[in-house]
Amino acid sequence: MSRRMRIYYYAVLGAMGGLIGWQLSNILGLSFSSLIYLSDLIVGALIGLSIGLMIGIAEGLLTRNPVHALRAGFFGGALGFVAGAVGLPLAEFAFQVSGGGAAARVLGWGVFGLLIGAAEGVTGRSQIWKGVLGGLAGGWIGGALLEVARGWLGEPQIGKAGGLMLLGMSVGALIALIAVLLSRAWLEVASGKLKGTEFILDKFMKLHGPNAILGSDSLKADIVLPDPDVAPQHAILQGQGTHFTLKDLSTSGTFINDRRISQARIPTRAKIRVGNTDLVYHERR
């Protein structure tokens, strides 16, 4: 899936997470406890769990990597749980201290989005700070939309449902949007089952940072290509700070612009071939 389509899917899955959170919170009810902050902590944790889980699995679903989807979903759900448990009581506290100003609640929703964005930054392909920035912006915007929806729609339950969907959609869309706009390097799959899919590589570009393994085994590779002619660990991308080098790990060969390499720097717009899969390397300076 292209980087731009990623924004759409992150938004849709985030909205689904908000809707699931609404249903879960309805099971408990907003009057779960006479202590408003305890009630907010529990309900917020459920909402955060749902939105964090759905946004977390988005990247794995887009790249058809179930292992990554489960790992990222678990981590995103866990941090989302914490984000909601912190963010909703904080939003309520700001609301009470300000004398009932709905705009004050947006502060808490910003913290909520920030923590979910941090989780995506850890498990995704972009740096953590990009996830944090996108999540914070999404939390602010989504929190404002949530408060507007709750006030504009006469029925409280409908307003809550619509508001939480808008919150999840905003957090998901802004996390993906910031990652796309600020991405420095990515691989585009030009042939095969994942044709059109783009893997953002920013997380791996740092010198002496983590390397990215290209291969067919979802347990052993970071960039998984469903191609029987691709080895479980076929090649390795090594960040050099401003560019990447590609090192062959296979017996069948790795090619850059139709030239077999053992290890070489990747020029921008270069065509990489592993097995029967072609990829194009993009670099933004």
Side-chain angles (χ1 to χ4, degrees), residues 83 86-88 90-92 94 104-113 139-140:
V86 172
L88 189 54
L90 181 60
E92 183 62 36
R105 279 192 171 131
V106 176
L107 172 66
W109 292 121
V111 174
F112 172 87
W140 281 338

Side-chain angles (χ1 to χ4, degrees), residues 14 26 84 120 185 225 233 244 283:
N26 277 342
E120 200 285 329
L225 304 171
Q233 292 184 308
F244 282 96
E283 191 176 290

Side-chain angles (χ1 to χ4, degrees), residues 122-199:
V122 170
T123 57
R125 306 299 182 197
S126 62
Q127 293 106 325
I128 295 177
W129 70 268
K130 293 176 183 175
V132 166
L133 179 60
L136 180 62
W140 281 338
I141 295 171
L145 293 174
L146 185 152
E147 298 301 329
V148 169
R150 289 170 67 174
W152 182 62
L153 296 172
E155 172 60 41
Q157 288 300 318
I158 295 176
K160 181 186 170 189
L164 287 175
M165 287 180 65
L166 289 170
L167 175 67
M169 179 187 72
S170 298
V171 172
L174 266 294
I175 288 173
L177 177 63
I178 293 296
V180 167
L181 291 178
L182 301 183
S183 58
R184 297 177 58 194
W186 62 96
L187 279 176
E188 176 190 355
V189 182
S191 67
K193 293 181 179 179
L194 294 182
K195 184 177 180 180
T197 300
E198 295 178 333
F199 296 91

Side-chain angles (χ1 to χ4, degrees), residues 71-106:
R71 183 171 60 243
F74 175 82
F75 193 77
L79 257 187
F81 185 89
V82 175
V86 172
L88 189 54
L90 181 60
E92 183 62 36
F93 176 76
F95 179 77
Q96 298 290 342
V97 169
S98 68
R105 279 192 171 131
V106 176

